[in-house]
Amino acid sequence: MSIQLFSNQSFLHPTVLLTGIPGLQARNIGVSIPFCFAYAVALLGNGVVLLVIVKDQSLHKPMYLFLCMLAVSELGVSLSTLPTVLGVFLFDAREIGLDACLSQMFFIHSFSIMDSGVLWAMALDRFIAIYNPLQYTTILTKLRIILLGSGIALRSILLMTPLPLLLRRLPFCRSNVLAHPYCLHPNLIQLPCADTTINNQTGLFVVLSTFGLDSLCIVLSYVMILKTVLSMASKEGRFKALNTCVSHICAVVLYYTPMIGVSMVHRFGRHNSPMLPSLMANIYLLVPPILNPIIYSIKTKEIRKALGRLFSQKKF
């Protein structure tokens, strides 16, 4: 009777075990060094970009306001994974309660969906700036940008809310070991000892209605941008127009390439080393927040000037 009671309690309140990089568990302290450096660069870089745009009135323009949203979503992704990643690597704290794990999953995926939505909004911004530059600021007013940003955030919350709720109702009676030092839906959905068809279908709907739709809209935006640029008579004008898109194109490549890599590895690379899916997932979650602020700071003259003004004031 007591054994059955204990078993039922474990179903209701299971503990999930997180995993560092497979094959390198004995070197967690050493592995933690590049992760600490990566998080420091990501948090500092996006924090500085966010601070510069908020403080500098000359940057309160559509392009930079969207960049501000991108920095917020990437800070959210980094802060969502940081506690458990550093906990696993620095303190070998692998255990996490199911509710805490589901909460982390919700925030990681919500901010990732926001990332995707903001990248689409930035593609739309570039199209309007190139197609109709004279009415650029009258079309993308601050109110419309706020409404668009709020819609992107609301979409993330509404679409992600059912996933942890659907997982929470299922019994967990297997070895609850995840392949990463954080909680992701594709891994958690493999743990319940019950039918997860609804969970799979809901997850697929979320992916198609966010990442799939956003990537399609980004491609269509750039088809229209390319068509507009090719219709320009001036070669210098074409180059200048395309040059304004370079930073955004880099951000899109940095975001979607690791995502596709993670999906391919999980689907077709099951017989490869278990280290590969772990590395791909870490690249997907860490590389964009690290490199995007660096790329925009290097490629955007206005941000470089604003950074110079901010550092010259010595208010840090």
Side-chain angles (χ1 to χ4, degrees):
M1 183 70 178
S2 60
I3 294 176
Q4 185 180 3
L5 179 62
F6 177 78
S7 178
N8 290 335
Q9 288 296 319
S10 68
F11 293 171
L12 294 173
H13 305 285
T15 298
V16 179
L17 293 178
L18 304 173
T19 305
I21 297 178
L24 297 178
Q25 288 92 335
R27 303 176 182 177
N28 275 349
I29 296 297
V31 173
S32 69
I33 297 173
F35 274 93
C36 290
F37 178 76
Y39 276 111
V41 172
L43 295 176
L44 181 63
N46 286 287
V48 169
V49 167
L50 185 62
L51 179 64
V52 166
I53 295 173
V54 169
K55 291 193 68 173
D56 199 312
Q57 290 291 328
S58 66
L59 296 180
H60 290 188
K61 298 175 183 178
M63 174 183 173
Y64 304 110
L65 294 176
F66 285 125
L67 180 56
C68 190
M69 294 181 197
L70 186 67
V72 169
S73 62
E74 291 184 342
L75 280 171
V77 171
S78 298
L79 290 173
S80 298
T81 59
L82 185 147
T84 54
V85 170
L86 297 188
V88 168
F89 289 127
L90 290 175
F91 308 107
D92 198 29
R94 297 181 58 203
E95 292 188 4
I96 182 172
L98 178 62
D99 289 336
C101 191
L102 292 175
S103 298
Q104 185 187 49
M105 180 200 79
F106 172 82
F107 284 111
I108 291 174
H109 289 297
S110 293
F111 282 116
S112 294
I113 292 171
M114 283 180 60
D115 240 353
S116 177
V118 172
L119 287 173
W120 167 75
M122 294 174 83
L124 179 65
D125 165 76
R126 290 299 83 211
F127 168 67
I128 295 173
I130 293 171
Y131 181 76
N132 199 348
L134 296 179
Q135 295 184 352
Y136 173 56
T137 54
T138 58
I139 295 173
L140 287 176
T141 61
K142 286 187 179 179
L143 177 59
R144 287 174 179 169
I145 292 170
I146 291 171
L147 290 174
L148 184 57
S150 300
I152 290 170
L154 186 61
R155 179 189 71 160
S156 304
I157 294 169
L158 291 178
L159 287 175
M160 271 305 301
T161 298
L163 296 184
L165 296 178
L166 288 172
L167 275 171
R168 186 68 179 80
R169 68 185 178 86
L170 297 176
F172 286 72
C173 52
R174 296 173 184 164
S175 178
N176 300 326
V177 180
L178 296 179
H180 308 297
Y182 36 75
C183 301
L184 298 178
H185 186 258
N187 299 125
L188 277 169
I189 206 172
Q190 299 174 10
L191 301 183
C193 50
D195 184 20
T196 58
T197 302
I198 296 177
N199 303 70
N200 280 306
Q201 291 174 346
T202 306
L204 180 61
F205 172 77
V206 171
V207 169
L208 292 177
S209 60
T210 54
F211 303 117
L213 183 61
D214 292 342
S215 60
L216 179 61
C217 290
I218 290 170
V219 171
L220 290 175
S221 297
Y222 272 98
V223 168
M224 296 165 72
I225 287 172
L226 192 59
K227 184 178 178 181
T228 304
V229 169
L230 292 175
S231 67
M232 294 178 178
S234 168
K235 186 176 181 179
E236 183 181 349
R238 291 198 295 267
F239 176 78
K240 186 177 180 181
L242 288 174
N243 194 48
T244 63
C245 301
V246 171
S247 297
H248 179 254
I249 292 172
C250 291
V252 170
V253 171
L254 284 172
Y255 182 79
Y256 282 100
T257 302
M259 179 192 292
I260 294 170
V262 170
S263 177
M264 296 294 286
V265 165
H266 276 288
R267 286 180 178 274
F268 305 110
R270 296 178 181 176
H271 302 295
N272 294 331
S273 167
M275 186 184 294
L276 185 59
S278 179
L279 288 175
M280 289 299 299
N282 288 318
I283 289 171
Y284 165 59
L285 291 175
L286 281 174
V287 169
I290 292 171
L291 292 184
N292 280 339
I294 296 173
I295 291 170
Y296 273 95
S297 299
I298 293 173
K299 285 292 298 177
T300 310
K301 181 172 64 176
E302 289 79 6
I303 291 181
R304 291 202 306 271
K305 289 181 177 179
L307 281 170
R309 289 193 294 269
L310 186 65
F311 282 111
S312 65
Q313 293 173 1
K314 298 180 179 179
K315 290 185 179 180
F316 284 102

